[in-house]
């Protein structure tokens, strides 16, 4: 039995279980910042956050069931909703575990959600690069098993069709190694993209190194835009344009939704603030081709 937060002896721990490469969590700024924001809110209410990283979805389901059976946690945060149906949601409905799902409400019926508009952000990124003159835009994606990857996929391709430009994607895994390999694959194309969008900052930074190693320059040969900003993007050479999301606030609000669920607050779901496109030196406009015998024009201040 799960005790309510107000009862003496009630569990004080909420859980977050992630199935993904273990190298991703300690390195990726997304989760480090998210966890800080969530922990601050939970600490104010006398609760702690238990994080467990597992190798696959089956192990995550087993972890959630064990947490319920032992009474170790009072509620959970569910991240990276799976495409094609998510067994975790079925389990949580079965055992009645309080939860907040990081997904659009339509994708998690019956659950409180903390949602972001991935499609709108992707459209903004593609439109920005297209307006700068890019006609072939590549993208290094996250795993296809995640619903938010598919949402971004659809928005990316649809924006390309609407704008009359070519879009090409290579699937990766959010790690530096995976991002580097996917970047090399895109650069090897005969119709090499002139701009690349990466689904996280780690892959973008690895991609930047691959572009430089190939003897190409950023942004003159290849522009780079990262999903999720970080200090590493800001300190890169050149600094990387990015979709900046207030991850501390995102983590804090997600924790607030779960606390509202535990307190029985009606309609606790929230929508996160939309990421903001921050333009830096990695995405200058594509230079206009000069006509033959046209002299250079130098402007002086």
């Amino acid at each position: 039995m799960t005790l309510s937060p107000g009862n003496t002896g009630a569990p004080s721990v909420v859980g977050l279980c992630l199935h993904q490469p273990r190298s991703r969590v300690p390195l990726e700024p997304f989760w480090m910042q998210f966890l800080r924001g969530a922990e601050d809110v939970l600490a104010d209410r006398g609760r702690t956050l238990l994080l467990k990283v597992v190798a696959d979805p089956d192990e995550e389901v087993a972890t959630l069931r064990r947490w319920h059976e032992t009474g170790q946690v009072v509620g959970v945060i569910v991240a990276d909703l799976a495409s094609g149906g998510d067994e975790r949601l079925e389990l949580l409905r079965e055992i009645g575990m309080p939860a907040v799902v990081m997904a659009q409400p339509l994708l998690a019926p019956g659950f409180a959600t903390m949602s972001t508009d991935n499609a709108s952000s992707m459209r903004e990124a593609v439109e920005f690069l297209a307006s700068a003159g890019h006609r072939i835009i590549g993208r290094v994606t996250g795993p296809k098993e995640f619903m938010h990857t598919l949402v971004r996929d659809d928005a990316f391709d649809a924006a390309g069709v609407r704008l009359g430009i070519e879009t090409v994607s290579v699937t990766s895994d959010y790690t530096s190694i995976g991002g580097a390999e996917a970047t090399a694959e895109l650069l090897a194309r005969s119709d090499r993209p002139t701009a690349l969008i990466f689904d996280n900052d780690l892959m973008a930074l690895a991609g930047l190194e691959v572009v430089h190693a190939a003897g190409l320059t950023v942004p003159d040969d290849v522009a780079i835009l990262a999903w999720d900003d970080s200090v590493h993007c800001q300190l890169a050479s050149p600094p990387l344009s990015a979709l900046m999301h207030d991850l501390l606030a995102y983590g804090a609000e997600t924790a607030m939704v779960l606390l509202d669920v535990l307190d029985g607050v009606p309609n606790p779901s929230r929508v996160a603030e939309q990421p903001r496109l921050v333009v830096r030196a990695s995405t200058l406009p594509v230079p206009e081709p000069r006509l033959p015998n046209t002299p250079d024009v130098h402007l002086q201040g």
Side-chain angles (χ1 to χ4, degrees):
M1 180 179 69
T2 302
L3 301 176
S4 66
N7 290 344
T8 302
S12 62
V13 179
V14 301
L16 171 60
C17 188
L18 302 172
H19 64 270
Q20 56 190 1
R22 283 178 168 82
S23 61
R24 177 182 163 197
V25 174
L27 294 177
E28 190 179 19
F30 176 93
W31 284 115
M32 300 305 292
Q33 295 284 73
F34 178 92
L35 293 170
R36 281 181 54 201
E39 287 173 335
D40 287 347
V41 168
L42 293 169
D44 286 344
R45 292 284 295 274
R47 298 191 184 274
T48 58
L49 178 64
L50 172 62
L51 172 66
K52 184 173 180 61
V53 181
V54 297
D56 56 51
D58 289 342
E59 190 177 351
E60 181 172 356
V61 169
T63 298
L64 294 176
R65 187 177 293 279
R66 183 170 62 255
W67 281 349
H68 169 69
E69 291 173 349
T70 62
Q72 188 173 6
V73 303
V74 68
V76 294
I77 298 170
V78 179
D80 294 330
L81 196 64
S83 57
D86 195 307
E87 189 178 351
R88 295 172 299 173
L89 300 190
E90 297 175 13
L91 172 65
L92 293 173
R93 290 190 185 98
E94 173 192 332
I95 63 179
M97 173 76 80
V100 54
V101 181
M102 296 167 62
Q104 293 287 333
L106 290 177
L107 301 177
F111 287 93
T113 58
M114 185 68 199
S115 58
T116 57
D117 189 350
N118 282 280
S120 177
S121 294
M122 182 59 74
R123 287 193 295 269
E124 180 182 9
V126 176
E127 289 168 358
F128 165 73
L129 292 172
S131 69
H134 296 283
R135 306 289 12 105
I136 304 177
I137 300 177
R139 175 166 158 253
V140 177
T141 85
K144 300 295 185 185
E145 67 191 78
F146 296 148
M147 183 61 72
H148 63 258
T149 300
L150 301 187
V151 170
R152 295 179 189 181
D153 286 349
D154 290 344
F156 179 65
D157 292 334
V161 170
R162 178 169 52 84
L163 297 169
I165 61 175
E166 182 179 352
T167 55
V168 56
S169 297
V170 175
T171 304
S172 190
D173 60 359
Y174 291 130
T175 66
S176 295
I177 293 174
E181 292 173 347
T183 303
E185 183 176 338
L186 286 167
L187 296 183
R189 293 172 56 93
S190 57
D191 52 347
R192 188 187 73 215
T194 60
L196 299 175
I197 299 173
F198 292 82
D199 270 15
N200 78 345
D201 58 324
L202 280 183
M203 296 193 298
L205 292 161
L208 176 64
E209 293 183 6
V210 172
V211 171
H212 287 161
L216 302 172
T217 61
V218 177
D220 294 334
D221 297 313
V222 181
I224 291 180
L225 191 153
W227 196 295
D228 290 329
D229 194 19
S230 69
V231 65
H232 303 292
C233 289
Q234 298 164 28
L235 296 177
S237 181
L240 300 186
S241 295
L243 288 162
M244 178 183 286
H245 197 167
D246 187 341
L247 298 176
L248 286 173
Y250 189 28
E253 288 197 75
T254 302
M256 290 176 191
V257 174
L258 182 54
L259 290 172
D260 284 347
V261 171
L262 295 171
D263 289 342
V265 175
N267 303 317
S269 297
R270 300 189 184 203
V271 178
E273 181 179 339
Q274 193 65 13
R276 177 170 56 91
L277 178 58
V278 178
V279 179
R280 301 192 181 102
S282 68
T283 55
L284 293 177
V286 175
E288 291 287 343
R290 284 200 304 118
L291 296 175
N293 302 319
T294 300
D296 289 324
V297 177
H298 298 279
L299 301 179
Q300 296 182 346

